[in-house]
Amino acid sequence: MSRSLTYPKLGRNTVNRLNKRATYDLESIHAIINEALVVHISFSPGPEDPFPTILPMIGVMGSFEHPSAGPDEPLDCYLHGHVSSRVMSLAHAPGGGSGGDSQALPICVAATLVDGIVLSLTPFSHSYNYRSAVLHGYASVVTSDEEKLWATELITNSVVRDRYRAGNSRVPPKKAEMDSTRILRIRVVDGSGKVRVGEPHDDKSDLEDETMVNSVWTGVLPVRETFGPPQPSSYNRVDGLPEHIHLTPGITAVEYAGRRAELAAKLPLNSVAIVSASAVKYRSGAVFYPFHQNPYFFYLTGEHYGAQSRSNLQLSSGQVSMNPMPLQLSLRRPGKAGDINELEALLPDILAAAREVHLGWPPMDERPSSIGTRLRPILQRVDLKIRPLERIVDELRVFKSAAEIANMRTAGKASGRAITKAMGQRFGTEKSLAAFLEYQFKELGCDGPAYVPVVAGGQNALGIHYVRNDDRLHDGDLVLVDAGGEYGGYASDITRCWPVNGKFSAAHKDLYEAVLTVQRHCISLCRQNAQISLRQLHEAAEEGLRDQLTQLGFDLSGNVRWKLLSICILRLEDHQALMGSQALAKLFPHQVGHYIGLDLHDTPAYPTRRVLNAGNCIAVEPGVYVPDDDRWPRHFRRMRIQIEDTVCVQEEAPLVLTTEAVKEVGHVI
């Protein structure tokens, strides 16, 4: 493990009381200064005034001589203010800011961040979980125009990332602005930090008082500093929010910070979450597949494109360590994800005070073995409980924000228009139709397809996930398309069927109208006040399809083999219901819906028995698959009809996000 740099311990910066909470580590101290929205500086105004002057200011750590220096390296502290302010006047006075330390202004910089309110059995033991830092140094006025502009950019971007950039604000500043502003560079000579983490501590005598312990709540109330929704000025003429406030289309950096804060609040006390970005997957040799980010990493960071280089993200509950939370929950600075090569150096110290670790890996076979191989021995050494992170994050992901819904509406609108365009044209092959859709998704505003589409002519559609898409389309057949575009990482999901020659046969039309009737009913239930779960929605779809198919002459009463039931004998009506369900399952072999968002099948750890609430987004897709079997009416055999839309649950009515994809018989042909 590499050794971190520390400030020297001197009389003025040594922590005496509760010195186990002390740190002299440069990176830890600099991180506290950088995260604080306001730092306080103090200095002596002169021999004639016995009171020290204390001022709130914006401060940021940096190095003009070594701009690429990290927070774990020696840095100066930069402050800015008006030329007439007392500290600028003193630092600019003869002997106050030019020359060596003996002629510079001695100054102290302090910052404190409160992470939690600690409630004990007795008010005497109440406390805060906090991180505080103090720096001592010598302040000099920056006289170089080059350094002054560099520091102005550093300080501006510390407030809002990339704000100091042409197009995001008027830069560079005018001469009059620069003349009225001074920049102080503090050459730091020593510093210290102090951190309290963890749960309350009470006297042994109080802990042995059963009556008190059973009646007084104790614990930590996490404190999170977060921004609210952006509010445009009275003269703002810019629609929406600019990209430097967004990390992905429509979603602000503030929203991502809020998600990380929500996760930190949901994590148990003294726990750490580690989320890995996806690895690049190679097709062969140096030829790689299109990159797809781990949706959990993307949800928490906004790192979507080109994020392969950012291999890890550490988050804490706010009660473990100074390092992970300031980096990742910072409001002014989105922070950086740790490089995989720093894993062995960073994690042991972060995990030292933890009780359990929550891991969030990319789904399925994307798990990067290099991270797992390196992480396993570290976790074995600290002997912590290992838990999956997905269940906690899915509780957040399943409720879509207004910005997420807007992105999904954009994807749904473009995808629906593309599919409607396809219905108006004639295609001779599945491949040409699939190529047309992919082009139209991008042309109409999507980033690309959300998944490998199903483009199936005739009986090819009987394969639920038929994706060969390489057969001919024949006159008299239906073509089924299950496809959708993606925008800003968010998927749409649409399924439509239409006749290859543009004309529904009578059988096509009858079965299509039956499925459409059921789909309309299911969508009407996608509202919070219906108090229905996905599981119950499926039961409603089954009931509707059973009724519609029976009217069309389908026999759903039996002809299934008896199963040996060792524990009970079914009543006649129960047996008939069982056989009817088994018969329907052959025609409707999948669930009617699934959650959708960053994943096509989103939030897999979220139970389908939960009642649908406003902000949940789901795909609703009843369908009928009729195999070539003598049991079913001849004119419906080898036919699949499925109709699917992406829907957002609202309080009193559903919001169909893919309404541009027409589905009425009169509109489809």
Side-chain angles (χ1 to χ4, degrees):
M1 185 187 301
S2 60
R3 190 173 182 180
S4 58
L5 296 177
T6 60
Y7 282 115
K9 292 175 64 175
L10 307 174
R12 61 176 169 259
N13 73 315
T14 297
V15 176
N16 293 314
R17 185 174 182 275
L18 301 174
N19 55 21
K20 289 184 179 180
R21 299 179 183 175
T23 180
Y24 303 91
D25 176 76
L26 267 64
E27 183 175 13
S28 300
I29 295 169
H30 295 167
I32 295 170
I33 297 293
N34 281 342
E35 188 180 351
L37 292 172
V38 173
V39 300
H40 287 85
I41 65 168
S42 61
F43 54 92
S44 173
E48 71 285 353
D49 192 336
F51 298 103
T53 297
I54 300 175
L55 298 175
M57 301 189 77
I58 299 174
V60 61
M61 307 300 297
S63 173
F64 176 69
E65 294 180 354
H66 305 285
S68 62
D72 58 342
E73 299 178 74
L75 299 173
D76 298 322
C77 183
Y78 284 88
L79 310 170
H80 80 117
H82 195 267
V83 292
S84 63
S85 67
R86 185 181 302 187
V87 66
M88 296 299 175
S89 299
L90 283 173
H92 194 64
S98 59
D101 291 346
S102 61
Q103 299 182 8
L105 178 68
I107 203 165
C108 177
V109 181
T112 297
L113 305 168
V114 177
D115 297 324
I117 299 172
V118 183
L119 301 179
S120 305
L121 292 171
T122 169
F124 181 79
S125 298
H126 286 179
S127 186
Y128 282 165
N129 281 336
Y130 62 87
R131 290 165 285 139
S132 64
V134 174
L135 298 175
H136 297 108
Y138 294 93
S140 303
V141 173
V142 173
T143 56
S144 160
D145 289 341
E146 184 181 3
E147 183 177 2
K148 192 173 181 180
L149 280 172
W150 175 86
T152 301
E153 180 176 357
L154 177 72
I155 293 168
T156 302
N157 288 339
S158 76
V159 178
V160 175
R161 185 178 66 168
D162 289 339
R163 186 66 178 177
Y164 193 100
R165 178 182 290 182
N168 294 342
S169 62
R170 178 177 54 75
V171 291
K174 296 178 180 178
K175 183 178 185 303
E177 293 171 329
M178 294 303 290
D179 288 344
S180 64
T181 302
R182 284 185 179 151
I183 300 291
L184 280 187
R185 181 204 320 109
I186 301 174
R187 192 186 73 79
V188 180
V189 295
D190 65 69
S192 60
K194 194 173 181 181
V195 180
R196 191 217 189 268
V197 298
E199 63 180 7
H201 300 291
D202 278 289
D203 291 341
K204 183 179 178 181
S205 59
D206 289 327
L207 293 172
E208 292 174 348
D209 186 333
E210 292 293 328
T211 302
M212 183 185 301
V213 172
N214 290 335
S215 60
V216 177
W217 188 92
T218 58
V220 177
L221 304 179
V223 175
R224 302 284 178 254
E225 191 171 32
T226 184
F227 295 148
Q231 299 179 359
S233 70
S234 59
Y235 54 86
N236 175 70
R237 297 180 183 177
V238 178
D239 293 331
L241 291 171
E243 287 302 316
H244 71 285
I245 300 178
H246 294 152
L247 287 179
T248 50
I251 301 179
T252 67
V254 173
E255 182 165 330
Y256 285 105
R259 294 174 184 177
R260 296 193 296 269
E262 285 187 89
L263 171 58
K266 279 184 171 290
L267 287 172
L269 191 66
N270 293 338
S271 62
V272 172
I274 303 174
V275 188
S276 171
S278 291
V280 178
K281 297 189 68 178
Y282 290 88
R283 181 171 179 171
S284 65
V287 181
F288 50 83
Y289 287 102
F291 181 74
H292 181 71
Q293 185 58 278
N294 174 8
Y296 293 93
F297 190 94
F298 180 34
Y299 179 78
L300 294 168
T301 68
E303 292 287 356
H304 189 199
Y305 302 106
Q308 303 96 309
S309 61
R310 298 191 171 194
S311 303
N312 260 316
L313 164 69
Q314 291 92 25
L315 292 172
S316 81
S317 64
Q319 310 302 331
V320 176
S321 153
M322 298 168 57
N323 296 320
M325 192 185 69
L327 285 175
Q328 298 305 331
L329 301 185
S330 170
L331 300 178
R332 293 196 293 159
R333 307 170 180 84
K336 64 177 182 181
D339 191 288
I340 179 62
N341 295 317
E342 300 175 3
L343 193 66
E344 290 89 344
L346 293 176
L347 273 185
D349 288 341
I350 293 174
L351 298 176
R355 293 179 179 174
E356 59 187 44
V357 176
H358 296 255
L359 298 181
W361 297 116
M364 305 301 289
D365 62 345
E366 290 189 61
R367 180 174 302 187
S369 59
S370 60
I371 295 179
T373 300
R374 291 170 134 176
L375 184 62
R376 192 176 299 111
I378 299 173
L379 296 178
Q380 288 174 344
R381 286 198 299 271
V382 294
D383 190 28
L384 296 173
K385 294 179 181 177
I386 309 299
R387 303 188 186 280
L389 183 67
E390 287 79 3
R391 187 175 299 277
I392 298 176
V393 181
D394 280 359
E395 293 278 349
L396 303 176
R397 282 178 58 184
V398 77
F399 293 97
K400 303 298 187 283
S401 69
E404 290 179 290
I405 294 169
N407 277 1
M408 294 182 69
R409 178 71 182 107
T410 298
K413 183 185 297 184
S415 301
R417 287 175 176 171
I419 289 175
T420 297
K421 274 191 173 186
M423 291 178 186
Q425 302 196 31
R426 300 292 174 261
F427 298 91
T429 64
E430 296 168 346
K431 181 168 63 175
S432 60
L433 174 51
F436 176 85
L437 288 170
E438 181 172 355
Y439 172 78
Q440 287 296 323
F441 288 158
K442 294 180 179 179
E443 177 70 13
L444 293 171
C446 288
D447 301 322
Y451 52 96
V452 178
V454 175
V455 180
Q459 64 180 350
N460 289 340
L462 293 176
I464 295 180
H465 296 297
Y466 171 86
V467 292
R468 280 174 42 193
N469 304 339
D470 62 356
D471 207 349
R472 296 193 61 80
L473 296 174
H474 300 285
D475 186 49
D477 282 343
L478 292 175
V479 61
L480 179 139
V481 169
D482 181 351
E486 177 183 274
Y487 178 75
Y490 289 84
S492 63
D493 196 0
I494 304 172
T495 302
R496 293 290 187 269
C497 309
W498 65 90
V500 172
N501 61 13
K503 296 179 180 179
F504 278 108
S505 69
H508 292 158
K509 183 177 179 181
D510 287 344
L511 192 57
Y512 187 96
E513 291 281 14
V515 174
L516 182 59
T517 297
V518 174
Q519 201 232 15
R520 284 200 203 98
H521 175 62
C522 289
I523 288 178
S524 73
L525 297 174
C526 296
R527 46 191 166 81
Q528 183 170 303
N529 60 9
Q531 290 293 287
I532 192 172
S533 67
L534 262 182
R535 187 175 297 180
Q536 292 168 320
L537 190 67
H538 180 74
E539 293 170 356
E542 286 185 319
E543 182 179 347
L545 286 175
R546 186 178 294 109
D547 178 63
Q548 291 291 322
L549 293 175
T550 299
Q551 292 182 46
L552 291 176
F554 283 79
D555 179 8
L556 303 177
S557 62
N559 292 335
V560 296
R561 291 185 302 169
W562 275 91
K563 291 187 177 181
L564 180 62
L565 302 176
S566 59
I567 17 179
C568 67
I569 299 176
L570 294 176
R571 294 176 300 163
L572 176 61
E573 58 267 32
D574 291 335
H575 172 241
Q576 291 173 336
L578 172 64
M579 291 194 297
S581 295
Q582 290 179 331
L584 182 61
K586 291 182 178 295
L587 299 172
F588 181 33
H590 56 72
Q591 294 294 304
V592 75
H594 55 82
Y595 292 106
I596 184 172
L598 290 175
D599 279 322
L600 183 66
H601 288 254
D602 208 38
T603 60
Y606 191 80
T608 57
R609 66 177 181 275
R610 298 274 189 92
V611 169
L612 294 172
N613 283 290
N616 296 159
C617 291
I618 62 174
V620 181
E621 51 176 338
V624 175
Y625 302 64
V626 188
D628 190 7
D629 187 319
D630 290 344
R631 176 176 183 179
W632 313 117
R634 180 181 299 275
H635 46 290
F636 293 124
R637 294 177 199 166
R638 299 191 302 173
M639 192 186 301
R640 171 184 172 186
I641 300 290
Q642 186 176 2
I643 305 172
E644 178 181 23
D645 282 290
T646 305
V647 180
C648 179
V649 177
Q650 297 184 314
E651 177 66 37
E652 297 181 348
L655 171 64
V656 180
L657 301 175
T658 50
T659 188
E660 283 73 16
V662 298
K663 58 186 177 184
E664 303 299 327
V665 169
H667 297 154
V668 169
I669 57 176

